[in-house]
Amino acid sequence: MNNGRFPISLHILTLLARAEGSLLSSDFIAGSINCNPVIVRKEISNLRNSGLVESKEGKNGGAALAKPAESIMLSDIYGAVRQSSLLGNSRNTPNPDCAVGRDINTHLEHLYAEVEDVLVNKLHGISLADFSRQFD
């Protein structure tokens, strides 16, 4: 996952966890992340679709956690934002006549799956509440 969606989403959710049920606006969240509020709204929409966030539109709107921070695992967040292989994908088609080229993608897929399993297992052992307590 070579993009910024996980850290942005984790930042959003950490702010929401610390808000303890109060609605936070996308402008407030964007100010903390130091990014455009449109990016925050896009990630909030994705997190809402994943069941992690509830949001209310309008002047007095904002976002809040959809469930307790103790029940949101960092692996849930990773799953909500994951778009591609953690280590990337090959953009070329290897030569099938080469001993390495013919099987490289199969071996890479196995390696990537193993590495991602380690990551997801590590993230599954950390709740959003655990992560958020680091900021007390």
Side-chain angles (χ1 to χ4, degrees):
M1 188 179 67
N2 48 10
N3 63 49
R5 292 187 67 198
F6 181 79
I8 289 172
S9 292
L10 184 54
H11 194 142
I12 291 168
L13 291 168
T14 301
L15 287 170
L16 296 180
R18 294 174 55 80
E20 300 178 348
S22 297
L23 294 176
L24 297 182
S25 72
S26 57
D27 287 336
F28 175 84
I29 295 169
S32 177
I33 299 172
N34 198 22
C35 72
N36 190 305
V38 172
I39 293 170
V40 170
R41 286 190 286 274
K42 179 180 176 188
E43 289 308 319
I44 286 174
S45 175
N46 181 58
L47 295 168
R48 183 180 58 242
N49 292 338
S50 297
L52 301 174
V53 166
E54 295 176 338
S55 62
K56 177 181 170 189
E57 295 182 17
K59 182 179 179 187
N60 295 320
L65 294 179
K67 52 188 176 181
E70 293 81 13
S71 67
I72 298 174
M73 306 310 290
L74 298 191
S75 57
D76 299 328
I77 302 165
Y78 177 76
V81 301
R82 183 185 183 280
Q83 291 180 307
S84 62
S85 172
L86 179 65
L87 299 174
N89 296 311
S90 178
R91 296 177 192 248
N92 64 333
T93 304
N95 182 347
D97 295 328
C98 172
V100 173
R102 141 175 72 244
D103 292 323
I104 188 75
N105 286 334
T106 300
H107 295 299
L108 284 173
E109 286 174 19
H110 293 301
L111 175 64
Y112 290 2
E114 289 176 20
V115 169
E116 190 157 29
D117 285 346
V118 170
L119 172 68
V120 170
N121 285 333
K122 174 68 176 176
L123 294 176
H124 188 70
I126 305 168
S127 73
L128 178 60
D130 294 333
F131 185 82
S132 296
R133 278 191 278 280
Q134 297 178 96
F135 303 93
D136 289 337

